[in-house]
Amino acid sequence: MNKIETAVLDFLKSGMVYSDGAIMKNLGINELELENIYNSLTKQGYLESYENFLKRNPDYEKGEEEHSCGGCSSGGCSSSGCSSGGCSSGGCSSKDDDIDYSKIKVLTEKTFIYSY
């Protein structure tokens, strides 16, 4: 693993949520370089796609759906207002159909266990 890959992993491990743009700006790299780094870290086992994460953890998605309206009471959704179709348009929904998960990268256990 090279120095810039280590820097990207350290950035991601910080626990903060960063956009690709923020990572690129802070590390002085461009979009192509970042994509190559993501690909390399995925091949090395430090990152995985959200889809692969869900395949390995099938109960994770189910658990999210069961609790999706619990914290929305201030937005107009109470637990009694939640249905299988989701909450009203008061700002929360149990349906995430509009969200594109294809670009989400998940840090693997290896990232936290092994020294790199």
Side-chain angles (χ1 to χ4, degrees), residues 15-86:
M16 303 294 287
V17 177
Y18 293 103
S19 67
D20 286 351
I23 294 171
M24 291 183 292
K25 182 178 179 181
N26 281 291
L27 298 178
I29 57 176
N30 64 39
E31 189 173 351
L32 180 60
E33 290 170 314
L34 184 59
E35 186 61 34
N36 289 337
I37 290 167
Y38 284 159
N39 288 336
S40 176
L41 293 173
T42 300
K43 288 178 186 174
Q44 293 176 60
Y46 292 103
L47 297 176
E48 68 181 332
S49 70
Y50 187 65
E51 180 180 278
N52 286 342
F53 170 78
L54 289 178
K55 285 177 186 175
R56 288 187 314 99
N57 301 283
D59 292 334
Y60 181 80
E61 191 170 33
K62 180 181 176 190
E64 288 291 309
E65 289 173 12
E66 291 173 357
H67 298 81
S68 60
C69 292
C72 294
S73 59
S74 64
C77 299
S78 64
S79 58
S80 62
C82 293
S83 65
S84 61

Side-chain angles (χ1 to χ4, degrees), residues 95-112:
K95 289 284 186 185
D96 291 333
D97 294 336
D98 296 343
I99 299 173
D100 178 12
Y101 292 101
S102 66
K103 293 187 177 187
I104 293 177
K105 305 291 185 210
V106 179
L107 296 171
T108 65
E109 187 175 355
K110 179 180 179 179
T111 304
F112 299 97

Side-chain angles (χ1 to χ4, degrees), residues 3-28:
K3 193 174 186 178
I4 193 72
E5 290 173 343
T6 301
V8 169
L9 266 185
D10 287 341
F11 219 84
L12 297 172
K13 282 176 42 176
S14 72
M16 303 294 287
V17 177
Y18 293 103
S19 67
D20 286 351
I23 294 171
M24 291 183 292
K25 182 178 179 181
N26 281 291
L27 298 178

